């Protein structure tokens, strides 16, 4: 048997080209438009482009596809670079499509001279109407047969700023009846008097995606220009421009974009969520942006593993959000130190525990990694446990604390609930228990078993922390699917953020934000025993600790469904 196992279709293409000597090494590129922050879909593209290059000893360029000055900004350029680095990748060169504006212009002139491009004075609406439909051919523009001289003159004057926005475009002269609509004289340039974040006011004509992208690839000698499936109908045009210009032959390959349920992934919609304050910013921990996931406590490794795990498809599909969470759980289970914190505290008094006594008990930092050792947690007569861990009268299957039932307090003792105190409304204010001193450390010398083990904190040692409990930003699987008159905003989950004050074991007082080896803020991450994975938020200070819930321990939605 050949070793051809488990290659995805792109790897097969690359290996074939290397075998046949089409190229000696590969060069890929990641081409974001700097008009927003990167999202998890971009992470897929980054892992793919950089990952393939790494696997085959090639390189990857970062190229900003900055051909639309109106929506672009250096804020986005900076954030994109940071996010790629944080994900663990380094580019060979950083380029900008705007660096190629002069070259692209010269090539456009070349196409005009070959009779393959013309200046069209029709309005946008006329151009659209003239393109025809999939079943009907388009109509030639009345300006289609301008002479080369006239086109050269008009195009130069377009560049010189003599015409208003929208009054003229440069179009490729191909075939208005072509079965592929992309070939019906596609627009190459439009007039836009706008300040560009890099070229300032030097240009007032800007190339369209189809004219800029392939030529930029060609200039950089990109061997594999990988993009998402919806561009497959653009590929023939990509090839056409390269062929007509007789320039270095880059090739485009398409794969299925990453879609995840319960979220939206278009930059336009993410921008709207930010601008209209549905979230606190691009890095709101509920956002599907890379910086949002980072603030939420996701590790770069968990995102890379997720992208690897879902693979590369040739057909569109929707990935379950749970797979992303599971990737985080898998990683944090290995590396996150365990701590005890009570998110919804109710008071417990152990009546037979001496009033002035306190003990510092050994607690394991991470059972998955014995090298992490142990720490001391204080135990005393008054504790907090989770309100949901107690029921006065409990059904048989309830293995937590209830009247007359014995449970283990983790690392400490067996306790039995004896009575409860309530306020005027009937809410439990205190659970009175007894403990068995012989069970210190959490095991009974007589071998008797308990079914439940609870986390707890000593009341007088506990420190308060603000804990932000995040849930899905959208309440439905496909937030983009909306009835008439509604928008994706109608699908927002009204309970996606709940803030509580937790009682934490005192060692958490040291929880601080840090920085990673690239100088990017890095939270401290913990497993709060039985409650999930949590991390420090940038809002956290030594005086006011703030933790974000990264995810619960198990998929809490699977149970609901
Ligand atoms: P959006 O539709 O969210 O605005 P975009 O495609 O316009 O995204 P670009 O900045 O042009 O955003 O994308 C940069 C690269 O990332 C492109 O190569 C694009 O194909 C890829 N990409 C964008 N979204 C996804 C996705 N969901 N899955 C995989 N790759 C993606
Ligand atoms: Mg795009």
């Amino acid at each position: 048997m050949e070793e051809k196992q488990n290659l995805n279709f792109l790897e097969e293409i690359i290996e074939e080209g290397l075998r046949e000597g089409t190229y000696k090494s590969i060069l890929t590129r990641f081409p974001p438009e700097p008009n927003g922050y990167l999202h998890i879909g971009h992470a897929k593209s980054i892992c793919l482009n950089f990952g393939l290059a790494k696997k085959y000893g090639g390189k990857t360029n970062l190229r900003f596809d900055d051909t639309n000055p109106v929506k672009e900004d250096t804020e986005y350029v900076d954030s994109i670079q940071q996010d790629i680095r944080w994900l663990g990748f380094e580019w060979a060169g950083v380029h900008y499509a705007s660096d190629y504006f002069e070259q692209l212009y010269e090539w456009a002139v070349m196409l005009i001279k070959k009779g393959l491009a013309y200046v069209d004075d029709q309005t946008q609406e006329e151009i659209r109407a003239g393109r025809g439909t999939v079943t009907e051919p388009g109509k030639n523009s009345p300006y289609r047969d301008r002479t080369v001289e006239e086109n050269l003159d008009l195009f130069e004057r377009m560049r010189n700023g003599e015409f208003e926005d929208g009054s003229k475009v440069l179009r490729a002269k191909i075939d208005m009846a072509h079965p592929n609509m992309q070939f019906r004289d596609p627009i190459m340039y439009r007039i836009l008097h706008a300040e560009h974040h890099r070229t300032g006011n030097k240009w007032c004509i800007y190339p369209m995606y189809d004219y800029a992208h392939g030529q930029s690839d060609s200039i950089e000698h990109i061997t594999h220009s990988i993009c998402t499936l919806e561009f497959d109908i653009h590929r023939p045009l990509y090839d056409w421009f390269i062929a007509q210009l007789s320039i270095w032959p880059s090739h485009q390959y398409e794969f299925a974009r990453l879609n995840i349920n319960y979220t939206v992934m278009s930059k336009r919609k993410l921008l709207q969520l930010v601008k209209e304050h549905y979230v606190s910013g691009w890095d709101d921990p509920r956002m599907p942006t890379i910086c949002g996931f980072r603030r939420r406590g996701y590790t770069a490794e968990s995102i890379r593993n997720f992208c690897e795990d879902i693979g590369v498809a040739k057909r569109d599909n929707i990935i379950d959000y749970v797979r992303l969470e599971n990737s985080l759980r898998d990683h944090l289970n290995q590396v996150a130190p365990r701590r005890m914190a009570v998110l919804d505290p109710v008071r417990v008094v152990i009546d037979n525990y001496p009033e002035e006594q306190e003990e510092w008990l050994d607690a394991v930092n991470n059972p998955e990694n014995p090298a992490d050792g142990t720490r001391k947690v204080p135990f005393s007569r008054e504790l907090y446990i989770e309100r949901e861990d107690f029921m006065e009268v409990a059904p048989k299957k309830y293995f937590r604390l209830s009247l007359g039932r014995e449970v283990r307090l983790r690392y400490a003792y067996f306790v039995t609930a004896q009575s409860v105190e309530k306020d005027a409304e009937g809410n439990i204010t205190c659970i009175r228990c007894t403990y068995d001193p012989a069970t210190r450390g959490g095991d009974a010398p007589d071998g008797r078993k308990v079914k439940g083990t609870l986390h707890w904190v000593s009341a007088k040692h506990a420190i308060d922390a603000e804990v932000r409990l995040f849930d899905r930003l959208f309440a439905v699987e496909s937030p983009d699917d909306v009835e008439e008159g509604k928008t994706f905003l109608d699908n927002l989950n009204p309970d996606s953020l709940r803030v509580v004050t937790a009682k934490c074991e005192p060692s958490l007082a040291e929880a601080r934000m840090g920085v990673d080896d690239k100088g990017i803020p890095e939270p401290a991450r913990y497993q709060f025993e039985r409650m999930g994975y949590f991390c420090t938020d940038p809002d956290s200070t030594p005086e006011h600790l703030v933790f974000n819930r990264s995810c619960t321990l198990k998929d809490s939605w699977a149970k609901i469904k």
Side-chain angles (χ1 to χ4, degrees):
M1 285 288 276
E2 283 283 65
E3 85 296 348
K4 217 180 169 184
Q5 9 131 327
N6 290 332
L7 292 185
N8 66 48
F9 77 98
L10 289 167
E11 291 167 336
E12 281 178 12
I13 289 166
I14 290 169
E15 293 199 5
E16 190 182 312
L18 288 168
R19 227 177 6 250
E20 291 176 356
T22 315
Y23 32 78
K24 285 208 182 63
S25 64
I26 67 164
L27 180 63
T28 59
R29 90 283 172 263
F30 174 64
E33 184 179 352
N35 62 351
Y37 282 65
L38 297 181
H39 54 59
I40 186 76
H42 294 116
K44 174 70 209 179
S45 175
I46 291 167
C47 289
L48 186 59
N49 279 294
F50 285 88
L52 285 171
K54 199 166 170 192
K55 175 165 181 181
Y56 293 104
K59 289 181 172 160
T60 305
N61 282 347
L62 169 59
R63 181 168 71 239
F64 290 102
D65 190 7
D66 56 349
T67 53
N68 184 1
V70 186
K71 293 184 176 166
E72 295 160 4
D73 200 273
T74 48
E75 172 195 349
Y76 302 131
V77 169
D78 296 340
S79 75
I80 287 169
Q81 301 200 13
Q82 183 177 65
D83 287 348
I84 298 171
R85 287 211 169 98
W86 178 74
L87 275 175
F89 300 106
E90 202 45 64
W91 45 88
V94 51
H95 301 277
Y96 295 81
S98 56
D99 291 342
Y100 310 138
F101 281 172
E102 196 64 52
Q103 175 68 79
L104 292 171
Y105 179 84
E106 279 171 35
W107 281 337
V109 168
M110 220 166 104
L111 292 177
I112 293 174
K113 286 181 179 162
K114 289 177 83 175
L116 293 173
Y118 63 97
V119 173
D120 194 347
D121 295 3
Q122 291 184 104
T123 63
Q124 238 183 348
E125 291 71 46
E126 287 167 335
I127 290 176
R128 198 177 304 129
R131 280 184 84 214
T133 64
V134 196
T135 47
E136 283 167 70
K139 278 204 277 303
N140 284 357
S141 161
Y143 305 96
R144 198 171 194 263
D145 294 318
R146 279 177 161 152
T147 64
V148 168
E149 288 65 39
E150 194 182 355
N151 282 319
L152 285 174
D153 173 61
L154 286 172
F155 188 48
E156 189 178 345
R157 287 165 60 196
M158 276 170 66
R159 175 187 182 155
N160 291 342
E162 289 185 31
F163 307 116
E164 279 179 22
D165 288 6
S167 60
K168 288 183 170 32
V169 292
L170 184 73
R171 297 178 76 175
K173 190 171 178 178
I174 308 179
D175 179 359
M176 286 307 289
H178 201 287
N180 181 340
M181 301 279 289
Q182 308 293 321
F183 277 85
R184 296 187 186 174
D185 292 8
I187 297 173
M188 294 166 59
Y189 275 90
R190 58 189 171 146
I191 302 174
L192 213 57
H193 292 267
E195 184 162 321
H196 186 280
H197 69 104
R198 293 190 81 236
T199 56
N201 293 307
K202 176 160 185 226
W203 293 89
C204 59
I205 55 170
Y206 289 93
M208 305 300 289
Y209 174 89
D210 282 315
Y211 180 65
H213 203 88
Q215 280 63 265
S216 302
D217 286 339
S218 175
I219 290 169
E220 294 174 25
H221 288 203
I222 301 296
T223 54
H224 297 79
S225 178
I226 300 163
C227 62
T228 44
L229 279 186
E230 63 273 22
F231 286 96
D232 66 344
I233 49 164
H234 296 246
R235 185 180 355 102
L237 185 58
Y238 179 108
D239 293 338
W240 186 87
F241 279 121
I242 286 179
Q244 299 306 323
L245 294 166
S246 306
I247 55 178
W248 200 87
S250 287
H251 288 291
Q252 176 187 302
Y253 304 90
E254 307 90 23
F255 75 106
R257 67 188 296 117
L258 169 63
N259 298 303
I260 299 183
N261 58 8
Y262 294 100
T263 191
V264 296
M265 243 193 290
S266 114
K267 277 187 274 189
R268 184 178 59 77
K269 289 178 180 162
L270 297 178
L271 180 66
Q272 191 178 353
L273 290 172
V274 174
K275 285 238 158 109
E276 296 175 12
H277 304 289
Y278 291 99
V279 294
S280 64
W282 285 99
D283 68 345
D284 185 299
R286 294 164 293 179
M287 287 282 272
T289 50
I290 295 179
C291 56
F293 282 115
R294 182 161 67 231
R295 186 164 178 184
R296 179 81 173 250
Y298 274 72
T299 59
E301 182 173 328
S302 68
I303 293 179
R304 290 197 306 267
N305 290 345
F306 166 75
C307 291
E308 176 74 19
D309 179 47
I310 56 176
V312 186
K314 277 215 93 155
R315 207 164 320 145
D316 276 320
N317 59 353
I318 295 174
I319 303 290
D320 198 332
Y321 194 92
V322 171
R323 290 180 70 176
L324 181 56
E325 284 190 332
N326 282 340
S327 179
L328 180 66
R329 291 184 182 110
D330 286 347
H331 188 210
L332 293 183
N333 183 41
Q334 302 302 316
V335 300
R338 274 52 168 174
R339 292 292 182 266
M340 291 200 283
V342 177
L343 302 187
D344 182 14
V346 61
R347 214 159 63 92
V348 169
V349 175
I350 302 177
D351 283 315
N352 60 336
Y353 193 88
E355 216 151 315
E356 295 311 318
Q357 186 170 312
E358 71 178 50
E359 296 172 81
W360 288 74
L361 304 165
D362 285 323
V364 175
N365 283 330
N366 186 350
E368 299 292 321
N369 186 12
D372 284 352
T374 59
R375 68 187 184 285
K376 297 282 188 191
V377 290
F379 187 85
S380 65
R381 182 181 151 93
E382 292 199 20
L383 313 168
Y384 293 111
I385 65 166
E386 221 55 74
R387 197 166 277 276
E388 65 171 19
D389 280 341
F390 177 76
M391 265 177 106
E392 263 185 280
V393 187
K396 261 216 161 73
K397 285 263 162 75
Y398 187 82
F399 296 135
R400 306 177 199 180
L401 193 61
S402 60
L403 290 180
R405 204 171 286 176
E406 188 173 49
V407 295
R408 173 189 296 110
L409 294 181
R410 185 119 219 214
Y411 308 119
Y413 294 100
F414 285 9
V415 295
T416 306
Q418 305 294 353
S419 62
V420 292
E421 292 167 9
K422 296 182 181 175
D423 64 14
E425 279 94 58
N427 302 309
I428 295 171
T429 53
C430 180
I431 306 162
R432 305 211 77 105
C433 295
T434 53
Y435 87 120
D436 177 358
T439 56
R440 190 176 197 268
D443 283 303
D446 64 4
R448 86 180 179 275
K449 300 281 181 227
V450 286
K451 287 241 167 75
T453 299
L454 310 185
H455 64 281
W456 51 274
V457 295
S458 163
K460 77 169 173 225
H461 302 91
I463 55 168
D464 284 354
E466 175 181 333
V467 177
R468 298 175 182 170
L469 302 171
F470 300 108
D471 201 343
R472 298 182 169 168
L473 188 53
F474 291 94
V476 299
E477 279 207 48
S478 315
D480 290 316
D481 293 349
V482 287
E483 312 161 21
E484 236 189 88
K486 300 223 163 174
T487 74
F488 75 106
L489 297 170
D490 292 300
N491 289 326
L492 281 164
N493 173 7
D495 301 316
S496 61
L497 170 62
R498 203 155 57 82
V499 181
V500 298
T501 301
K503 298 287 182 186
C504 305
E505 66 167 82
S507 74
L508 281 169
E510 289 154 27
R512 294 284 179 280
M513 290 292 294
V515 284
D516 71 5
D517 53 358
K518 291 137 205 143
I520 300 169
E522 174 93 356
R525 300 184 179 89
Y526 303 97
Q527 183 193 100
F528 289 174
E529 294 212 27
R530 300 179 61 237
M531 302 313 286
Y533 292 100
F534 293 77
C535 71
T536 51
D537 186 84
D539 290 344
S540 190
T541 64
E543 295 73 38
H544 182 83
L545 294 172
V546 181
F547 292 103
N548 294 327
R549 182 171 68 194
S550 309
C551 63
T552 54
L553 286 185
K554 284 193 214 86
D555 169 22
S556 48
W557 280 64
K559 275 184 277 169
I560 295 167
K561 274 198 277 182

